[in-house]
Amino acid sequence: MAQEIKVPSGKFSIRDLAKALIPDGDLSKCLTCGTCTAGCPASGQMDMDPRKFLRMAVLGLDEQLERHPWVWVCTMCKRCNDVCPMKINIPQLTFELRSRWPREERPKGILGSCDMHVKSRGGAMGVPLEDFEFTVSDLAEECRTQEGFEELRAEIDREGAMFALNQNSREPVTEPDELLPLWKILHTAGADWTYYSDMWAGENYCMFLADDPSWEYIVRAQSKKIDELGCKTFINTECGHSFYAVYAALKKFNIPHNFEFKSIIEFYAKWIREGKLPVNSEWNKDLKIKFTVQDPCNIVRKSLGDWMADELRFVVKTAVGEENFVEMYPNKSNNYCCGGGGGALQAGYTEQRQAYGKIKFDQIMQTGATYVITPCHNCHAQIEDIKHAFDGHYHVVHLWTILCLSMGILGENERTYLGPDLADFGL
């Protein structure tokens, strides 16, 4: 028997928020069709789903929603918004409710990463600039000992460079050898690039925290430094949420800047077409190893759309062979979020995050692919985690790893995520 819902009377701020997010402010725009819930991997977690979430807001059930932890399980991937026939922005409502939590009561992992980033003026892991500088210098020296890279340059704050790059702080802190394939690609393509020093990391957990002032502070500092260096293009490396954090902040906070902001995936494709990257799939012609690719929500659905998804596929197919590429379904803008976005990896709700990721795990397993290419750090970490949670047997790799493998320039210490079938290939 259905439970009766008693609707309180009075003025309700969450309902006003919901109304503002519905086209024309007409609460009847929500058809209660359930399309949002049917397509949301977070549905059912904590006895909540997008339709119920919106209806509770519309009915004025503020007390039940104000501290509901489901807002930290929802990754705000916008799939519900995309499929909604009335285009109701439920993810924005989720974000607004996150911002209403007392700051000190928000998930400690996300909060700590945000505060560490602002305090260190580096990244979420709090790496001092001098440590980052040492790591870059030391690794560049190591890379120059490899044949063909004797003239490789990896610098910080070089004025007048064409490109300014960020770098997810996971690499310099926990897996520095993962920096080398990216640098090799840049060197092979003849890219004129530099890292920038202020807020150099490719992440922004303040956005996930719904801390607008800190989110804005980080992107303003990045933009100011890059403009001071005179770089023409700000290239975001393989990290989905850091792309969206900058992409959205430049517009939302009207941050002045003189650079173009681009994803490195676009340049991978451009340099391959121009012949600057001799990427080819001959290495996999006889091996016939199968690959699939994860479309990062923050780069594809929430930012650049299917055009970027198609560029991603062009790069992958060129590197592994079209016949060895297997699609997940659905894909591109309609792809399921893996469950690692929205700060979920640091929110503390591990059981819910892994249950959310089960849909993605099943997608991957259905492809039969041996490798999942993930040009996003959160996707990479989550898809690796659900592999262990559900006893999967695939391998998760960055795009830069496969590009360097295909060009025969992947070093011995740059193969952390390759399986035994490729661990020694080409050495």
Side-chain angles (χ1 to χ4, degrees), residues 129-372:
L129 177 59
E130 55 267 28
D131 288 4
F132 180 52
E133 291 173 330
F134 173 80
T135 300
V136 169
S137 175
D138 189 54
L139 283 168
E141 186 176 344
E142 174 191 322
C143 195
R144 284 191 287 269
T145 66
Q146 298 186 35
E147 185 179 354
F149 298 98
E150 295 84 357
E151 304 299 322
L152 180 139
R153 300 171 69 185
E155 299 168 303
I156 301 173
D157 285 349
R158 180 165 61 82
E159 294 185 4
M162 176 65 69
F163 305 120
L165 270 72
N166 59 19
Q167 186 73 55
N168 190 285
S169 61
R170 187 174 86 185
E171 275 89 32
V173 175
T174 64
E175 45 188 29
D177 284 325
E178 283 295 306
L179 292 167
L180 300 185
L182 172 63
W183 296 354
K184 288 178 176 180
I185 290 169
L186 295 167
H187 179 79
T188 301
D192 176 25
W193 71 280
T194 183
Y195 287 125
Y196 56 91
S197 60
D198 201 9
M199 306 294 189
W200 53 264
E203 66 258 7
N204 194 326
Y205 277 84
C206 297
M207 175 180 69
F208 294 148
L209 192 67
D211 179 349
D212 275 0
S214 296
W215 174 14
E216 178 182 0
Y217 182 71
I218 291 170
V219 180
R220 279 191 182 276
Q222 292 171 327
S223 301
K224 182 173 182 289
K225 187 63 183 179
I226 292 169
D227 279 347
E228 286 175 354
L229 293 173
C231 301
K232 301 300 182 185
T233 304
F234 178 7
I235 297 183
N236 192 88
T237 47
E238 293 184 34
C239 187
H241 95 258
S242 67
F243 181 87
Y244 183 75
V246 176
Y247 179 87
L250 292 175
K251 299 177 182 178
K252 179 174 181 173
F253 305 119
N254 195 28
I255 297 173
H257 59 285
N258 297 317
F259 53 79
E260 288 188 296
F261 181 59
K262 301 284 188 177
S263 166
I264 198 166
I265 298 169
E266 179 178 345
F267 284 94
Y268 288 162
K270 180 176 186 291
W271 292 331
I272 290 171
R273 290 189 178 103
E274 292 174 348
K276 293 179 179 180
L277 288 180
V279 173
N280 69 85
S281 61
E282 283 300 307
W283 67 274
N284 201 25
K285 187 175 182 181
D286 295 327
L287 292 175
K288 295 181 171 56
I289 297 172
K290 302 303 180 186
F291 290 78
T292 189
V293 68
Q294 165 68 358
D295 293 296
C297 303
N298 281 303
I299 302 176
V300 178
R301 177 165 49 245
K302 293 176 69 174
S303 301
L304 301 178
D306 282 349
W307 167 82
M308 179 50 66
D310 289 335
E311 290 292 89
L312 175 57
R313 280 156 178 75
F314 165 74
V315 173
V316 172
K317 289 177 182 179
T318 303
V320 306
E322 186 163 0
E323 69 280 9
N324 294 313
F325 174 75
V326 189
E327 282 281 14
M328 292 189 219
Y329 291 97
N331 52 55
K332 300 183 182 180
S333 292
N334 197 31
N335 188 40
Y336 285 118
C337 175
C338 67
L345 285 162
Q346 297 196 27
Y349 299 104
T350 304
E351 180 183 344
Q352 288 79 13
R353 173 177 56 78
Q354 290 178 340
Y356 186 123
K358 184 60 164 60
I359 290 179
K360 178 57 58 183
F361 176 81
D362 291 342
Q363 267 192 301
I364 294 168
M365 296 303 290
Q366 286 166 10
T367 68
T370 305
Y371 286 88
V372 186

Side-chain angles (χ1 to χ4, degrees), residues 272 277-284 315-316 318-321 399-410 415 425:
I272 290 171
L277 288 180
V279 173
N280 69 85
S281 61
E282 283 300 307
W283 67 274
N284 201 25
V315 173
V316 172
T318 303
V320 306
L399 189 49
W400 58 52
T401 303
I402 298 303
L403 293 183
C404 284
L405 183 74
S406 78
M407 292 187 287
I409 57 174
L410 191 66
R415 299 166 176 253
F425 182 84

Side-chain angles (χ1 to χ4, degrees), residues 11-82:
K11 184 174 177 62
F12 311 104
S13 59
I14 296 178
R15 183 165 66 188
D16 291 340
L17 273 175
K19 185 176 180 181
L21 296 171
I22 293 175
D24 305 320
D26 182 358
L27 294 175
S28 68
K29 289 285 186 181
C30 176
L31 306 175
T32 67
C33 64
T35 304
C36 56
T37 295
C40 172
S43 291
Q45 299 301 318
M46 298 178 170
D47 194 33
M48 186 61 71
D49 61 61
R51 177 173 59 176
K52 182 176 180 179
F53 184 67
L54 180 63
R55 296 312 298 169
M56 288 175 71
V58 168
L59 292 171
L61 302 178
D62 285 24
E63 187 176 341
Q64 291 93 321
L65 286 179
E66 280 177 339
R67 296 291 179 274
H68 202 297
W70 188 80
V71 298
W72 303 103
V73 175
C74 166
T75 62
M76 300 178 292
C77 76
K78 289 196 79 173
R79 195 171 193 270
C80 60
N81 188 199
D82 255 27

